[in-house]
Amino acid sequence: MTVHLLGPIQLEEEVERLIEWLATFGKTEKGGVTRLLYSEQWLSAQEALKEKMEECGLAPYFDDVGNLFGRAEGSSPSSKTILTGSHIDTVIEGGKYDGAYGIIAGLLATHYLLKRFGTPKKTIEVVSLCEEEGSRFPLTFWGSGSVTGRRSFKHIQKIVDSKGISFVQAMNECGFGQERFRQPFRNDIQCFIELHIEQGSVLEKKKKSLGIVSDIVGQRRYQVKVVGESNHAGTTPMPCRKDAVAIASELITYLMKQAKQVSDQLRVTVGKIKVEPNVPNVIAGEVVFTIDIRHHEEELLEQFCSTFSRHFKNVSAQYNVDILLNEWLNVKPVKMDQQLLRLSKEIAEEQNLSHEILVSGAGHDSQMFGTYCPTALFFVPSHNGISHSPKEYTAAAHLESGVKFLIHYLYRLAY
Amino acid sequence: MTVHLLGPIQLEEEVERLIEWLATFGKTEKGGVTRLLYSEQWLSAQEALKEKMEECGLAPYFDDVGNLFGRAEGSSPSSKTILTGSHIDTVIEGGKYDGAYGIIAGLLATHYLLKRFGTPKKTIEVVSLCEEEGSRFPLTFWGSGSVTGRRSFKHIQKIVDSKGISFVQAMNECGFGQERFRQPFRNDIQCFIELHIEQGSVLEKKKKSLGIVSDIVGQRRYQVKVVGESNHAGTTPMPCRKDAVAIASELITYLMKQAKQVSDQLRVTVGKIKVEPNVPNVIAGEVVFTIDIRHHEEELLEQFCSTFSRHFKNVSAQYNVDILLNEWLNVKPVKMDQQLLRLSKEIAEEQNLSHEILVSGAGHDSQMFGTYCPTALFFVPSHNGISHSPKEYTAAAHLESGVKFLIHYLYRLAY
């Protein structure tokens, strides 16, 4: 039993210390972290992590987009790499754990294994992926996308940030994108293992220490424009109105009712509404609202979307108004690897670790890796489910238990 | 029969010419009119109208808030005044007809009667009321309110416009508010007769030339705040949500359904919505929306409002969210005078004028006069119901037929 083999592990203080240390790169006045791709704070963090990797006995190197790897060469000849880690970038005023925890956990776990058991049979690499959030440039998953070939330099040629600085210029100024480092695309990855904070409150509510992700949801996003007729609130009889707010409210109410009926796992959100002219005593002539729809089964997504589209068409005809539907995002669901999932459950049970199999409602680097190589994604609890905020918090005990789980996991895969 | 007594009247060109002339004071680049209370344009318009009144054989004078009267003294001793007119101020980028038409019509009608029949038995005054819209300062009905004693100097002491200019300063700079003119409050008004554009499309749709107003609606306005819980759109299961947009949509859908069931005359409008944080992939934590409710029966208004308030409370309990309801406007309905209404119908029938008895869904100066003296309000059609816009338009034939009706009306009251 691996549990006896490894013995008791004390990492609580160390994992908290390293989380705080990494959070100093890009720390904000409000106690959050802003570490945008190719910024000064980002580059300092990657360079500091490179040193830390060396201290942990790993051989660090960058690829040409700025992904940082720390390699522990395996003894078995021609072994493929077991890759673990997450992303180093943050949203604006983000928290200390999102992304960072997966890198720190990978570092600590590998360091522990190297110290305790020496050279692994199979090569382990810890990765600090350069970008996932899409917070500086309008492009997500640049790090994992480059490794897996889902992103390439052709995707970034015309992209600029909010200050007008081009993606290419920002990358070059950090020393990347000039063929001074190895090409990012890899064909030697055996599997990808990611540890992340949940960014939801399911684990906390169910009092579980570990989430084992079975699927990452697919997402569809729409913009809906209801074109009514602006008119005087006092002089226009109700039957003569084409009130865009009234119609939009009816559509949103329908969406929510449908969502709750179709599947427990379906998540439908209308987060943004814009009303024209948006004046109390004027009937709205136009309402634009967004729909965010997520589920882990493509078929169900497709069916839900075609059902509500049909309903919207009927409402459009009923009220004789235009309802314009624009799908601007369509990301397919991704399944995590079944064999790795079985191993996860096995280890969690062995370790008496309270765990929950769940679907990830948010996107992660594992989404890019999931269609490229066997991939496993684990969650530790997020206090109150808060993320992308300075209030993001995971208790040290949960952080530690995640790292311990990763130690056992990597041991089983690499030793 | 008065119809024979007066004979054929040709006023189409004259009424159009005067409307265009008055619209030159405050004309905007977009072809609209902006004539705010106590502005340069406003003062020029009142001064020009004063001259025009003299040309029409009326004795003009201002009161101390800037209401302009043109008086045709009656022969009958101690006769009270028959007052007709409307307001001279406009909204920002308003049209040429709103308010202005009632003044022009009063002028033309009185001028015609004086030329044709000489001195009336009873005194007629044409009034250009200084303010109705509330477009410069946060106060409405300043003109009619001052005449009827519903407004006084105590209401304006602390009021400033968007540039920080105080009401008192603006008034003083036009020469008013310094006791140089007569006090505005009157106790010698026999009745008030107002001709106005409909600002709705009922007359046009029903192909009627004249609207005879039976009631002016009461209005209640609310601000509703739904305090939900902002959360991640992907990681928060539907049953765990307190989605302020979903709840607000349900409330609005309920309001609209109820409104249609309760009464044909009830008008309910949600014109303004503000969502926080208003981001596509974040569940809204807060929605603030407005409700505008109008009907001509106070009892029905009261019942509708208490019913929906009760429902909102139930929804608040059902979803365990705060729903805060703030009533910030409560104006009672006003009935037009029954005797004047009978006279209106009689004259319209005599003149073979296609007419409709209707409720005014908008506020007018007649609302102030209606609880102070017998009041009659008439509408001419608004093309497409458009008002408060440079596109406001009433065909010359309708303008003329309104003036003719007013001639007959004033003849019956004053000669």
Side-chain angles (χ1 to χ4, degrees):
Chain A
M1 291 278 280
T2 47
V3 59
H4 298 299
L5 195 71
L6 294 178
I9 304 168
Q10 289 293 338
L11 287 165
E12 231 180 87
E13 274 177 36
E14 208 171 347
V15 64
E16 265 209 318
R17 195 173 50 75
L18 282 177
I19 289 281
E20 293 299 329
W21 165 76
L22 195 49
T24 60
F25 301 93
K27 188 161 205 138
T28 68
E29 281 178 14
K30 292 180 187 167
V33 183
T34 301
R35 201 161 52 218
L36 303 179
L37 177 64
Y38 301 142
S39 65
E40 204 181 306
Q41 296 78 11
W42 175 92
L43 188 58
S44 306
Q46 287 290 66
E47 280 168 352
L49 269 175
K50 185 163 178 268
E51 276 181 39
K52 190 68 72 185
M53 285 175 170
E54 268 181 331
E55 289 169 25
C56 292
L58 299 167
Y61 66 95
F62 280 105
D63 70 14
D64 206 32
V65 298
N67 289 320
L68 170 67
F69 299 84
R71 185 168 171 105
E73 194 73 39
S75 58
S76 160
S78 77
S79 83
K80 282 192 161 187
T81 291
I82 295 157
L83 189 66
T84 186
S86 192
H87 59 96
I88 188 68
D89 71 316
T90 69
V91 296
I92 294 167
E93 285 290 351
K96 298 170 189 167
Y97 306 88
D98 181 1
Y101 174 58
I103 303 167
I104 300 291
L107 258 180
L108 284 174
T110 313
H111 185 214
Y112 180 91
L113 289 167
L114 291 175
K115 271 202 305 188
R116 183 94 201 269
F117 302 102
T119 302
K121 280 198 195 114
K122 293 200 176 163
T123 300
I124 304 173
E125 286 190 38
V126 178
V127 65
S128 171
L129 293 160
C130 61
E131 198 276 342
E132 185 251 18
E133 300 283 2
S135 297
R136 177 170 179 185
F137 297 97
L139 181 83
T140 53
F141 301 118
W142 175 238
S144 51
S146 297
V147 172
T148 58
R150 270 56 173 157
R151 300 275 185 278
S152 71
F153 280 33
K154 74 171 191 276
H155 294 111
I156 55 158
Q157 290 310 315
K158 291 177 181 170
I159 291 179
V160 294
D161 70 7
S162 62
K163 289 177 185 156
I165 300 169
S166 79
F167 197 108
V168 173
Q169 185 193 338
M171 180 165 59
N172 290 345
E173 281 173 7
C174 284
F176 302 107
Q178 296 162 319
E179 304 192 353
R180 284 169 46 202
F181 300 93
R182 61 166 285 174
Q183 284 307 298
F185 179 68
R186 300 279 291 256
N187 52 15
D188 62 338
I189 310 289
Q190 182 191 316
C191 60
F192 179 65
I193 316 297
E194 185 176 15
L195 198 50
H196 205 279
I197 54 166
E198 184 196 347
Q199 305 182 285
S201 56
V202 172
L203 293 176
E204 190 172 75
K205 277 185 181 141
K206 296 199 170 180
K207 296 193 168 37
K208 301 290 171 83
S209 297
L210 187 79
I212 300 171
V213 175
S214 61
D215 302 83
I216 299 177
V217 293
Q219 298 188 26
R220 300 205 184 183
R221 295 201 195 158
Y222 292 85
Q223 190 178 68
V224 185
K225 188 193 271 190
V226 180
V227 186
E229 234 172 61
S230 187
N231 246 319
H232 193 296
T235 62
T236 317
M238 299 303 276
C240 301
R241 297 181 175 205
K242 295 184 178 180
D243 181 338
V245 161
I247 296 166
S249 297
E250 209 177 302
L251 299 177
I252 296 168
T253 301
Y254 166 88
L255 281 171
M256 295 305 148
K257 201 175 153 196
Q258 282 295 106
K260 283 170 192 165
Q261 281 173 1
V262 166
S263 154
D264 276 357
Q265 290 292 335
L266 185 65
R267 278 150 208 190
V268 179
T269 308
V270 174
K272 188 174 177 181
I273 301 180
K274 190 165 160 273
V275 178
E276 284 290 337
N278 212 28
V279 172
N281 60 344
V282 177
I283 299 164
E286 191 177 291
V287 172
V288 177
F289 66 89
T290 57
I291 318 176
D292 176 307
I293 302 164
R294 307 188 190 202
H295 196 269
H296 59 284
E297 291 165 16
E298 177 63 13
E299 202 181 326
L300 189 142
L301 275 175
E302 180 56 38
Q303 204 182 341
F304 182 82
C305 293
S306 71
T307 302
F308 91 73
S309 303
R310 218 164 36 238
H311 177 76
F312 280 23
K313 262 188 201 142
N314 293 341
V315 173
S316 160
Q318 180 192 343
Y319 291 110
N320 191 24
V321 295
D322 281 336
I323 299 176
L324 310 170
L325 201 58
N326 173 28
E327 184 192 88
W328 60 273
L329 189 94
N330 186 332
V331 177
K332 305 287 178 233
V334 177
K335 275 208 159 319
M336 298 295 92
D337 184 69
Q338 287 302 306
Q339 213 171 323
L340 292 178
L341 195 70
R342 274 195 297 276
L343 179 62
S344 312
K345 285 190 262 187
E346 202 182 307
I347 294 173
E349 276 157 24
E350 266 177 20
Q351 301 299 320
N352 275 324
L353 194 57
S354 63
H355 59 283
E356 178 81 13
I357 312 290
L358 41 69
V359 167
S360 172
H364 291 290
D365 289 309
S366 289
Q367 193 169 318
M368 290 288 116
F369 283 103
T371 58
Y372 160 88
C373 68
T375 298
L377 172 61
F378 308 112
F379 288 156
V380 292
S382 290
H383 184 50
N384 287 332
I386 296 167
S387 184
H388 286 191
S389 154
K391 290 183 191 160
E392 194 175 85
Y393 175 71
T394 297
H398 288 312
L399 295 174
E400 183 193 51
S401 98
V403 176
K404 281 187 189 174
F405 176 81
L406 187 63
I407 290 172
H408 287 94
Y409 207 87
L410 292 176
Y411 181 83
R412 288 283 286 266
L413 290 175
Y415 284 84
Chain B
M1 293 276 280
T2 47
V3 58
H4 297 301
L5 194 71
L6 293 177
I9 304 168
Q10 287 294 335
L11 287 166
E12 229 180 87
E13 274 178 35
E14 210 170 348
V15 65
E16 266 209 319
R17 195 172 48 76
L18 282 177
I19 288 281
E20 293 299 330
W21 165 75
L22 194 48
T24 59
F25 301 94
K27 189 162 204 139
T28 68
E29 279 178 14
K30 292 180 186 168
V33 183
T34 301
R35 203 162 49 218
L36 302 179
L37 176 64
Y38 302 141
S39 65
E40 203 181 307
Q41 298 78 13
W42 175 93
L43 188 59
S44 307
Q46 288 291 67
E47 281 168 351
L49 269 175
K50 186 163 178 267
E51 278 182 37
K52 189 68 72 185
M53 284 175 169
E54 269 180 329
E55 288 170 25
C56 291
L58 299 166
Y61 66 95
F62 279 105
D63 69 15
D64 205 31
V65 296
N67 289 319
L68 171 66
F69 299 85
R71 185 170 171 103
E73 194 70 41
S75 58
S76 160
S78 77
S79 83
K80 282 192 160 186
T81 292
I82 293 158
L83 188 66
T84 186
S86 192
H87 59 96
I88 188 67
D89 71 315
T90 69
V91 296
I92 294 167
E93 284 292 349
K96 299 171 188 166
Y97 306 87
D98 181 0
Y101 173 59
I103 303 167
I104 300 292
L107 258 180
L108 283 173
T110 313
H111 186 213
Y112 180 91
L113 289 167
L114 291 174
K115 271 201 309 191
R116 185 92 202 271
F117 302 103
T119 302
K121 279 197 196 114
K122 293 198 176 165
T123 300
I124 303 173
E125 286 190 39
V126 178
V127 63
S128 171
L129 293 159
C130 61
E131 198 275 344
E132 185 251 16
E133 301 283 1
S135 296
R136 178 170 178 186
F137 297 98
L139 181 83
T140 53
F141 302 119
W142 175 239
S144 50
S146 297
V147 172
T148 58
R150 271 54 175 157
R151 300 274 185 278
S152 72
F153 280 34
K154 74 170 190 274
H155 294 110
I156 56 159
Q157 290 309 316
K158 291 177 181 172
I159 292 180
V160 295
D161 70 7
S162 63
K163 288 176 186 156
I165 300 170
S166 78
F167 196 108
V168 173
Q169 184 192 339
M171 180 165 59
N172 291 345
E173 279 174 8
C174 283
F176 301 107
Q178 297 161 317
E179 304 193 353
R180 285 169 48 201
F181 299 93
R182 60 165 288 173
Q183 285 306 299
F185 178 68
R186 301 279 291 257
N187 53 14
D188 61 337
I189 309 289
Q190 181 191 317
C191 61
F192 179 64
I193 316 296
E194 184 176 16
L195 198 52
H196 205 280
I197 54 166
E198 184 195 350
Q199 306 181 283
S201 56
V202 172
L203 293 176
E204 190 172 76
K205 277 186 181 143
K206 294 197 169 179
K207 295 193 167 43
K208 301 291 169 80
S209 297
L210 187 79
I212 300 171
V213 175
S214 61
D215 303 83
I216 300 177
V217 293
Q219 298 188 27
R220 301 205 184 185
R221 294 199 196 160
Y222 293 85
Q223 191 178 66
V224 185
K225 188 193 270 192
V226 180
V227 186
E229 233 172 63
S230 187
N231 246 319
H232 192 295
T235 62
T236 318
M238 299 304 275
C240 302
R241 297 182 176 205
K242 294 183 179 183
D243 181 338
V245 160
I247 295 166
S249 297
E250 210 177 301
L251 299 176
I252 296 168
T253 301
Y254 165 88
L255 281 171
M256 295 303 148
K257 202 176 153 197
Q258 282 295 106
K260 284 172 190 161
Q261 280 172 3
V262 166
S263 155
D264 276 358
Q265 290 291 335
L266 185 65
R267 277 150 208 190
V268 179
T269 307
V270 174
K272 189 173 177 181
I273 301 180
K274 190 163 160 275
V275 178
E276 282 290 337
N278 212 27
V279 172
N281 60 344
V282 177
I283 298 163
E286 190 178 293
V287 172
V288 177
F289 65 89
T290 58
I291 319 176
D292 176 309
I293 303 164
R294 309 188 190 202
H295 196 270
H296 60 285
E297 292 165 15
E298 178 63 13
E299 202 182 328
L300 189 142
L301 276 176
E302 181 55 37
Q303 204 182 341
F304 182 81
C305 292
S306 71
T307 303
F308 90 74
S309 302
R310 219 164 32 240
H311 177 77
F312 279 23
K313 263 187 203 143
N314 293 341
V315 172
S316 160
Q318 181 192 343
Y319 291 110
N320 191 24
V321 295
D322 281 337
I323 300 176
L324 311 170
L325 202 58
N326 173 29
E327 184 192 89
W328 59 273
L329 189 96
N330 186 332
V331 177
K332 306 286 178 232
V334 177
K335 277 211 159 315
M336 298 294 94
D337 183 70
Q338 287 301 307
Q339 212 170 324
L340 291 178
L341 194 71
R342 275 195 297 277
L343 178 64
S344 310
K345 285 191 264 188
E346 201 183 307
I347 294 174
E349 275 156 24
E350 266 177 22
Q351 301 298 321
N352 275 324
L353 193 58
S354 63
H355 61 283
E356 178 81 12
I357 312 291
L358 42 70
V359 167
S360 173
H364 291 290
D365 289 309
S366 290
Q367 193 169 317
M368 289 288 115
F369 283 102
T371 57
Y372 160 89
C373 68
T375 298
L377 172 62
F378 308 112
F379 288 157
V380 293
S382 290
H383 185 52
N384 287 331
I386 296 167
S387 184
H388 287 190
S389 154
K391 288 184 190 159
E392 194 176 85
Y393 175 71
T394 298
H398 289 312
L399 295 174
E400 184 193 51
S401 96
V403 177
K404 282 186 187 174
F405 176 81
L406 187 63
I407 290 172
H408 287 94
Y409 206 87
L410 293 176
Y411 182 82
R412 288 283 286 269
L413 290 175
Y415 284 85

